[in-house]
Amino acid sequence: MKISSNPFWIQPCTGILIPTFVKATRRWHPPFDNTVKRLIEAAEYVDLDPGVLEKLKLALEMTQARLSIRMDDGSIKSFLAWRCRHDDSRGPTKGGIRFHPDVNADEVTALALMMTSKCAVMNLPFGGAKGGVKVEPRSLSNTELERLARAYIRAFAHIIGPTRDVPAPDVGTNETTMAWMMDEYSTIVGKKTPEVITGKPVALGGSLGRDDATARGAYYITRYKADALGLKHGARVAIQGFGNAGQHMAQLLADDGNLIVSVSDSKGAVHAPAGLDVSELRAAKRHGESVTSVAGSAGVSEISGDELLESDCDVLVLAAVENTVHKGNAGSIKAPLIIELANGPITPEADEILEARNVLILPDILANAGGVTVSFYEWVQNRQGQSWTLDEVHTRLKTTMEKQTDAVCAYARDKKITLRKAAYVLALARIAAAMEALLKD
């Protein structure tokens, strides 16, 4: 590990930035374990050069910076920040930036590896990346958040770029954060560069259809493979996590005639056997309230998060955080189908338990890939100076999700393996093809 020669500097316009960089080339990070374990298992089904897996075990580049900004009260506060580029064999790296108090270098690196796999599953010309800032965004004012977002870009401007590394929003960030970041990067390079970041407001070059893309991609898969998944009209659905993805998934499924019987957020959960009013729940969230605010109304009761996971339903949607289903609770899950909208919500140990109980799982690197797919569409539109209609975005997304789902299902059927393992086999095969092509004489 080495400390870079980048000097300290001050940015008086939006506060003080004093970055110190720590670069590590191909360094091992323990949270890789879950995803690396799945890649190793997938390697059994691919004719693979051993060097491919060896490269994927370690990140290509990991950069850490200290962001120091001036707070509204005049004080200076510092925040740790990271950007990891995992692998660029298939193209520029791509991945979100999360603002969260528990984010750390290990998590960022693990998520970057997952993005490498996800982009390969969707056959996008990207590798994987991820970024993060250790901060509770709700504790900052809007102006402090802007200073922090701009400070992040100043610290990592030498890392990112339209053909090198393309960030996007993640947990704790949104289109406004991306607008600030894009504007700051454009100032640094001296020209408008909308293609450097995706997930922007439509008025600033963002793509129509990006707001619900993660949920819509999963919805398209679910509807496309309904018969194979054993889903019938009026399925009872429980959704853990009611952020952007969870809310849109609830709305799409409800509009399609399914019953949303349970929903949770960070403050609690509610249940209604006859179905919850999704519009009411979304209105509560817009007003800064928890989903539990609707408890007590006709047929709606408050339950615990554990009760939601273990509820009697046809579909369990995991749209919260990592590792929420583990060996301690996997045996209690009653849903015959699980859809992973969150990244890594099921541990490998829980996978084995659920597989033994014949629970079907739509894996994260396929199910939630609608977000990065529409991010790719935004990047293409920006690069070509185009603006696609909403119908065009939806049509392209539906076609892509169905095509890659067919590819995953074909591997699962032919090799008699789970959908998750099949998704990693497909990803590994595509990554290996790119790496091996670079090694040919």
Side-chain angles (χ1 to χ4, degrees):
M1 180 177 291
K2 64 179 181 179
I3 305 297
S4 82
S5 59
N6 292 59
F8 296 105
W9 75 87
I10 295 177
Q11 295 283 354
C13 58
T14 56
I16 298 176
L17 169 65
I18 313 175
T20 55
F21 296 102
V22 180
K23 285 190 176 182
T25 301
R26 306 226 175 256
R27 182 185 176 192
W28 178 265
H29 291 275
F32 263 16
D33 289 356
N34 287 357
T35 305
V36 167
K37 179 179 179 181
R38 286 164 173 156
L39 285 169
I40 291 172
E41 291 173 349
E44 298 176 12
Y45 301 89
V46 184
D47 184 13
L48 197 68
D49 184 316
V52 171
L53 197 58
E54 187 64 23
K55 286 184 177 181
L56 292 177
K57 287 179 180 180
L58 303 169
L60 175 67
E61 182 178 40
M62 180 66 176
T63 306
Q64 175 179 299
R66 183 181 74 229
L67 312 181
S68 295
I69 65 168
R70 190 174 298 282
M71 307 300 283
D72 290 345
D73 64 4
S75 65
I76 302 299
K77 192 168 183 178
S78 296
F79 304 88
L80 276 176
W82 300 269
R83 187 68 184 173
C84 177
R85 299 177 65 243
H86 172 256
D87 183 76
D88 62 357
S89 300
R90 289 175 50 84
T93 51
K94 183 85 182 72
I97 300 169
R98 60 176 52 185
F99 284 7
H100 194 277
D102 297 327
V103 73
N104 55 58
D106 292 342
E107 178 184 59
V108 167
T109 309
L111 291 169
L113 169 56
M114 189 172 293
M115 281 299 299
T116 296
S117 303
K118 189 182 301 184
C119 290
V121 166
M122 299 311 295
N123 208 21
L124 304 177
F126 286 136
K130 211 70 176 185
V133 179
K134 190 175 182 63
V135 61
E136 173 50 80
R138 291 172 294 187
S139 70
L140 302 185
S141 70
N142 198 55
T143 53
E144 290 167 343
L145 278 172
E146 180 176 356
R147 291 175 195 137
L148 188 62
R150 291 179 181 275
Y152 186 93
I153 291 301
R154 291 196 299 275
F156 295 100
H158 66 298
I159 298 296
I160 67 173
T163 58
R164 191 175 195 275
D165 180 32
V166 184
D170 200 276
V171 176
T173 56
N174 54 31
E175 64 173 22
T176 301
T177 319
M178 298 303 106
W180 292 329
M181 290 183 172
M182 184 272 288
D183 183 66
E184 190 67 24
Y185 184 87
S186 296
T187 299
I188 291 170
V189 300
K191 61 179 179 180
K192 286 295 181 183
T193 316
E195 66 269 31
V196 72
I197 283 174
T198 61
K200 306 178 296 293
V202 173
L204 294 177
S207 176
L208 294 170
R210 180 62 182 86
D211 56 344
D212 70 349
T214 300
R216 186 171 290 275
Y219 167 70
Y220 284 150
I221 293 174
T222 305
R223 190 173 63 178
Y224 180 54
K225 292 294 183 181
D227 290 341
L229 297 172
L231 281 181
K232 297 180 180 179
H233 183 75
R236 298 164 301 152
V237 182
I239 300 179
Q240 182 202 45
F242 210 60
N244 178 273
Q247 288 184 42
H248 283 296
M249 189 65 167
Q251 194 69 67
L252 288 164
L253 291 173
D255 289 346
D256 207 25
N258 300 290
L259 293 178
I260 311 302
V261 295
S262 302
V263 163
S264 71
D265 59 18
S266 60
K267 297 180 181 177
V270 289
H271 176 73
L276 293 157
D277 185 331
V278 175
S279 296
E280 183 182 11
L281 289 168
R282 297 186 71 185
K285 297 297 289 185
R286 282 195 301 272
H287 289 94
E289 299 174 350
S290 168
V291 296
T292 57
S293 64
V294 306
S297 57
V300 181
S301 59
E302 186 169 355
I303 60 173
S304 70
D306 288 339
E307 287 175 313
L308 180 142
L309 288 174
E310 300 167 7
S311 62
D312 184 13
C313 60
D314 302 306
V315 184
L316 173 61
V317 178
L318 300 176
V321 293
E322 297 88 355
N323 302 325
T324 56
V325 177
H326 46 78
K327 65 180 180 180
N329 60 12
S332 301
I333 289 177
K334 299 181 180 66
L337 172 64
I338 297 176
I339 300 173
E340 293 185 323
L341 280 190
N343 289 316
I346 301 176
T347 67
E349 295 80 9
D351 254 347
E352 294 177 5
I353 295 170
L354 294 168
E355 182 181 352
R357 297 177 55 232
N358 296 316
V359 175
L360 279 172
I361 300 171
L362 285 181
D364 47 9
I365 63 170
L366 173 66
N368 70 25
V372 70
T373 302
V374 176
S375 281
F376 166 63
Y377 298 162
E378 180 176 333
W379 181 76
V380 170
Q381 291 171 76
N382 292 161
R383 299 276 291 171
Q384 297 180 350
Q386 298 181 358
S387 181
W388 300 346
T389 66
L390 183 60
D391 284 345
E392 186 172 5
V393 171
H394 285 172
T395 299
R396 288 175 181 266
L397 177 61
K398 182 175 182 293
T399 299
T400 300
M401 297 305 298
E402 291 179 356
K403 180 178 180 179
Q404 302 312 327
T405 297
D406 280 339
V408 170
C409 288
Y411 269 106
R413 180 181 62 252
D414 296 345
K415 299 182 182 298
K416 296 180 174 57
I417 54 180
T418 65
L419 291 174
R420 186 191 307 284
K421 192 170 292 184
Y424 276 100
V425 170
L426 177 60
L428 193 55
R430 287 173 171 170
I431 295 167
M435 287 186 176
E436 289 168 1
L438 292 171
L439 298 174
K440 289 182 178 179
D441 294 333

